[in-house]
Amino acid sequence: LHTNYGKKMYTLNKLLLIYPRTINGKRSMVAEVNAGSPPLILKDSKIIDWLIKLPKQFTLEESKTLWRELDLFQEVFDAFFFHFY
């Protein structure tokens, strides 16, 4: 996290690990940055699309705009973004 022209700029957490896993018979993606903390279980693969489309540095608003373009729920954004940043 740093600032650029007064805006908070973010980058992806370098420790972010996302991997597939079968949970209750269904394929899901698991996201974590530390094996000692509970991971997030991602049930929508569009979240991976969001991560791929993020620029190297981005503002919170830029990331929210991309999230909305992929038609993902705001509550999921809040949980994901604030869990890892």
Side-chain angles (χ1 to χ4, degrees):
L1 172 70
H2 66 280
T3 59
N4 187 10
Y5 299 106
K7 293 183 179 181
K8 286 184 179 178
M9 301 298 291
Y10 296 86
T11 59
L12 288 176
N13 188 322
K14 293 178 182 174
L15 299 176
L16 179 61
L17 174 65
I18 300 176
Y19 54 93
R21 185 166 183 194
T22 301
I23 300 173
N24 296 328
K26 295 182 181 178
R27 291 296 277 176
S28 298
M29 301 301 286
V30 177
E32 62 184 340
V33 293
N34 179 340
S37 299
L40 286 179
I41 308 303
L42 311 174
K43 297 182 179 182
D44 192 334
S45 63
K46 289 189 283 187
I47 294 172
I48 304 301
D49 295 336
W50 172 71
L51 290 168
I52 291 169
K53 290 181 180 186
L54 283 173
K56 185 175 180 179
Q57 295 181 355
F58 52 90
T59 65
L60 180 60
E61 274 310 309
E62 289 170 330
S63 62
K64 283 183 179 181
T65 298
L66 283 171
W67 190 269
R68 284 189 295 266
E69 287 174 3
L70 293 170
D71 199 30
L72 294 162
F73 293 108
Q74 182 62 43
E75 296 82 11
V76 177
F77 175 86
D78 293 341
F80 187 89
F81 194 87
F82 295 109
H83 189 80
F84 295 118
Y85 297 95

